[in-house]
């Protein structure tokens, strides 16, 4: 039987989740606090019951899972209520604003054997999955550093800074690629346009293995970049989401030492390789992964624990920014 899903939040992002879950599962409930949103979406999903009250979904014993796409400050409380009612939860990123709140969600999910999956969309991007595959297969050699650039002279947000609006994506990718908890997480930034909302943020992370990472996040920049670079001892790889056909480029470039030159560093520049990257919709893959976990396949606690690592790093970067 297909899992029965309830979706909370029909603003900008929720409708994308509604479309996917309507195709992949039984979308039996929709919920939004706004009556205008309820009126807009009820005719599109006649098979789903509509409400403004989460408790109505939670009282339905036949409902398997709740998908939360409401504003970030509401995530923790809504996810807590849904897990408390015994529902599996997919919650947009980040599921909580403080590490202690996330730990609480992970503990409830673990105790009740429920899925708690943060909606880290980029982890399902086939380009990011290719980077992970290259790293895990040892193709790049030992990874030394990773850095992300998410820049644009774009939407100037006034309620969420560049770290929270743009950085959560890159942070989730960096931690996923390196699979390590940072020992150091430092951020510098400035609120040039709106008081208290940093438009330009630089972050530094270092890891127990000696790897380092950097993120440059800004909507005050001449470049439009969504790029992640991985530097390995043997090869280097770049995921560039602005590119249409060369999402991932692998550079067979590296420094090396020739014995007869008394240990001086030489550089080697070999082929540049552009692997084929699937055009599958990342959100589709994310929803499919959630449904797999709900069905009992895979390690359901791993996504929750990985999500907690992102929230912990985000909390440290935020504290450092405000320092
Ligand atoms: N993965 C991605 O790439 C991506 C992209 C955009 C947004 N998001 C995430 O999706 C979430 C929603 O963002 P958005 O831009 O759609 O926001 P939005 O403000 O457009 O929509 C939020 C909706 O939630 C409803 N809502 C708020 N509180 C509620 C409650 N307690 N109960 C029921 N409904 C409630 C609002 O009425 C509104 O319709 C955020 O967490 C955001 O970070 C993710």
């Amino acid at each position: 039987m297909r899992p029965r899903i309830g979706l909370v939040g029909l603003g900008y992002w929720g409708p994308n989740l509604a479309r996917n879950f309507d195709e992949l599962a039984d979308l039996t409930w929709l919920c939004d606090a706004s009556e205008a949103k309820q009126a807009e979406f009820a005719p599109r999903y006649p098979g789903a019951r509509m409400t403004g009250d989460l408790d109505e979904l939670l009282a339905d014993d036949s409902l398997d899972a709740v998908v939360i796409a409401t504003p970030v400050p509401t995530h923790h409380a809504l996810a807590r209520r849904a897990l408390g009612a015994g529902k599996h939860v997919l919650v947009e990123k980040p599921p909580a604003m403080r590490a202690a709140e996330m730990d609480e969600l992970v503990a409830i999910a673990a105790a009740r054997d429920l899925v708690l999956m943060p909606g880290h969309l980029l982890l399902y991007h086939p380009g990011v999955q290719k980077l992970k595959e290259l790293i895990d297969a040892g193709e790049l050699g030992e990874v030394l550093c990773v850095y992300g650039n998410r820049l644009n002279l774009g939407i100037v947000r006034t309620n969420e800074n560049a770290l929270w609006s743009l950085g959560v994506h890159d942070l989730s990718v960096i931690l996923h690629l390196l699979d390590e908890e940072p020992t150091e997480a430092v951020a510098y930034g400035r609120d040039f346009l709106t008081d208290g909302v940093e438009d330009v943020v630089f972050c530094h992370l270092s890891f127990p293995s000696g790897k380092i990472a950097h993120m440059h996040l800004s909507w005050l920049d001449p470049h439009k970049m969504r790029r992640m670079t991985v530097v390995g001892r043997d090869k280097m790889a770049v995921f560039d989401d602005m590119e249409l056909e060369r999402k991932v480029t692998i550079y067979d470039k590296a420094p090396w030492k020739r014995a007869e030159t008394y240990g001086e560093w030489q550089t080697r520049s070999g082929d540049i390789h552009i692997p084929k990257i699937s055009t599958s919709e990342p959100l589709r893959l994310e929803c499919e992964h959630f449904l797999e976990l709900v069905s009992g396949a895979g390690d359901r606690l791993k996504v929750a624990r990985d999500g907690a690592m992102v929230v912990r790093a985000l909390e440290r970067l935020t504290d450092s920014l405000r320092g």
Side-chain angles (χ1 to χ4, degrees), residues 79-91:
R80 192 172 182 272
R81 281 166 65 193
L83 290 168
K87 311 297 183 196
H88 300 291
V89 170
L90 167 60
V91 51

Side-chain angles (χ1 to χ4, degrees), residues 233-296:
R233 270 200 198 279
D234 300 339
K235 290 184 188 172
M236 305 175 186
V238 178
F239 163 58
D240 190 341
D241 209 6
M242 298 306 299
E243 291 279 353
L244 280 179
E245 290 197 311
R246 32 184 300 173
K247 291 273 177 201
V248 173
T249 307
I250 304 158
Y251 297 86
D252 186 7
K253 290 183 178 202
W256 64 290
K257 275 181 179 174
R258 201 187 296 157
E260 63 271 26
T261 57
Y262 305 104
E264 272 175 29
W265 286 102
Q266 313 279 311
T267 52
R268 174 179 58 75
S269 252
D271 290 340
I272 296 172
H273 176 59
I274 299 164
K276 180 172 165 50
I277 301 297
S278 150
T279 52
S280 302
E281 185 196 7
L283 186 60
R284 182 71 161 206
L285 300 175
E286 177 189 307
C287 295
E288 284 171 353
H289 186 212
F290 178 64
L291 293 172
E292 271 164 37
L293 293 174
V294 166
S295 77

Side-chain angles (χ1 to χ4, degrees), residues 8-13 31-34 37 69-72 74-75 78 92-93 119 121 169:
V8 191
L10 290 163
Y12 163 70
W13 192 244
C31 171
D32 198 291
S34 145
K37 288 288 173 194
T70 54
V72 176
T74 66
H75 288 173
L78 295 179
E92 265 311 321
K93 43 80 201 164
L121 182 69
H169 290 292

Side-chain angles (χ1 to χ4, degrees), residues 25-299:
D26 275 351
L27 186 64
T28 54
W29 280 97
L30 290 172
C31 171
D32 198 291
S34 145
E35 285 183 8
K37 288 288 173 194
Q38 293 178 31
E40 184 185 342
F41 284 91
R44 288 201 214 169
Y45 295 100
R49 294 169 72 185
M50 183 63 83
T51 178
D53 179 4
L54 178 68
D55 284 330
E56 276 201 66
L57 276 76
L58 302 185
D60 178 352
D61 289 336
S62 73
L63 188 71
D64 298 299
V66 172
V67 176
I68 301 170
T70 54
V72 176
T74 66
H75 288 173
H76 167 253
L78 295 179
R80 192 172 182 272
R81 281 166 65 193
L83 290 168
K87 311 297 183 196
H88 300 291
V89 170
L90 167 60
V91 51
E92 265 311 321
K93 43 80 201 164
M97 296 181 74
R98 303 301 298 187
E101 290 175 347
M102 184 64 188
D103 288 345
E104 183 195 20
L105 296 181
V106 176
I108 302 172
R112 304 196 62 159
D113 191 24
L114 293 168
V115 179
L116 168 63
M117 184 171 132
H120 288 308
L121 182 69
L122 261 189
L123 303 189
Y124 298 90
H125 193 301
V128 171
Q129 293 181 334
K130 176 53 100 179
L131 283 187
K132 179 73 173 155
E133 208 181 289
L134 291 166
I135 291 172
D136 289 354
E139 270 290 306
L140 309 180
E142 183 198 358
V143 172
L144 305 175
C145 67
V146 180
Y147 64 91
N149 306 92
R150 195 162 288 268
L151 317 168
N152 192 11
L153 189 62
I155 303 167
V156 174
R157 304 211 180 262
T158 51
N159 57 349
E160 224 184 17
N161 68 16
L163 173 62
W164 281 75
S165 177
L166 309 173
V168 183
H169 290 292
D170 288 341
L171 189 57
S172 68
V173 171
I174 289 171
L175 298 182
H176 173 66
L177 293 179
L178 300 184
D179 206 11
E180 267 188 283
E181 179 104 29
T183 40
E184 196 184 7
V186 184
Y188 302 92
R190 270 292 161 82
D191 50 346
F192 292 111
L193 304 179
T194 309
D195 281 351
V197 179
E198 291 82 358
D199 322 280
V200 181
V201 177
F202 298 93
C203 303
H204 167 78
L205 301 161
S206 59
F207 296 85
S209 62
K211 295 175 178 54
I212 55 171
H214 168 87
M215 299 191 291
H216 180 189
L217 310 158
S218 171
W219 44 70
L220 207 52
D221 203 276
H223 305 287
K224 187 171 167 85
M225 284 170 86
R226 289 183 195 159
R227 191 183 291 170
M228 185 67 63
T229 304
V230 184
V231 176
R233 270 200 198 279
D234 300 339
K235 290 184 188 172
M236 305 175 186
V238 178
F239 163 58
D240 190 341
D241 209 6
M242 298 306 299
E243 291 279 353
L244 280 179
E245 290 197 311
R246 32 184 300 173
K247 291 273 177 201
V248 173
T249 307
I250 304 158
Y251 297 86
D252 186 7
K253 290 183 178 202
W256 64 290
K257 275 181 179 174
R258 201 187 296 157
E260 63 271 26
T261 57
Y262 305 104
E264 272 175 29
W265 286 102
Q266 313 279 311
T267 52
R268 174 179 58 75
S269 252
D271 290 340
I272 296 172
H273 176 59
I274 299 164
K276 180 172 165 50
I277 301 297
S278 150
T279 52
S280 302
E281 185 196 7
L283 186 60
R284 182 71 161 206
L285 300 175
E286 177 189 307
C287 295
E288 284 171 353
H289 186 212
F290 178 64
L291 293 172
E292 271 164 37
L293 293 174
V294 166
S295 77
D299 180 353

